[in-house]
Amino acid sequence: MRNGSLLAALTVTSCLALSPALAQDADVGAELYTDYCAACHGVSGKGDGDMANVMTIPSPNLTLLSKNNDGEFPMLKVIHIIDGRTGLRAHGGPMPVFGRLFTSDGMGPENPYGSVLEVRGRVLSVALYLESLQE
């Protein structure tokens, strides 16, 4: 019985320890989204950003990603779009238009935006934020 109580306590503690990290990721993601994505995709993610009027290809409503994917958020696809692996044409070439902020091969003078892990953290934070916007 004692081992069961200890296991339960460790499980609860682990869950509580993860909660601030997830909240922080969402906060970081929200800030990155506002700074780099909202101009085209809109503050609310509905594709109505200030730049949407001048774009030749309509900016998608990012709040419908889950709905358009049988109710499941397409996390891997979203990550690949953000980090440029899909080369989405609407962005004038590889996404994002912000260069190496969301892509990285390593640190050094040729890459002032940080390590691969930092960049992947940014991408994941934005993806987690977009997941939170789903209708």
Side-chain angles (χ1 to χ4, degrees):
M1 190 69 169
R2 186 174 176 190
N3 286 340
S5 297
L6 180 60
L7 181 59
L10 286 173
T11 302
V12 169
T13 303
S14 296
C15 290
L16 291 174
L18 289 176
S19 296
L22 292 175
Q24 182 180 7
D25 285 346
D27 292 344
V28 169
E31 186 175 322
L32 287 167
Y33 177 86
T34 299
D35 289 348
Y36 300 103
C37 310
C40 296
H41 294 287
V43 173
S44 63
K46 296 191 178 195
D48 57 354
D50 293 337
M51 295 299 295
N53 295 331
V54 297
M55 295 174 57
T56 58
I57 297 173
S59 185
N61 183 337
L62 300 177
T63 67
L64 300 176
L65 296 173
S66 292
K67 183 177 181 180
N68 294 336
N69 193 51
D70 297 325
E72 187 172 325
F73 185 74
M75 182 63 77
L76 187 58
K77 183 177 180 180
V78 169
I79 288 170
H80 287 174
I81 290 171
I82 295 169
D83 73 12
R85 284 186 250 185
T86 61
L88 196 61
R89 193 176 134 247
H91 296 99
M95 170 68 176
V97 294
F98 304 105
R100 294 176 290 183
L101 183 68
F102 294 110
T103 59
S104 177
D105 292 326
M107 281 182 57
E110 69 284 346
N111 184 16
Y113 295 105
S115 72
V116 172
L117 291 177
E118 290 172 314
V119 170
R120 288 183 181 169
R122 288 185 204 118
V123 170
L124 183 58
S125 293
V126 172
L128 288 170
Y129 175 69
L130 291 175
E131 185 177 31
S132 76
L133 295 180
Q134 299 308 294
E135 293 180 358

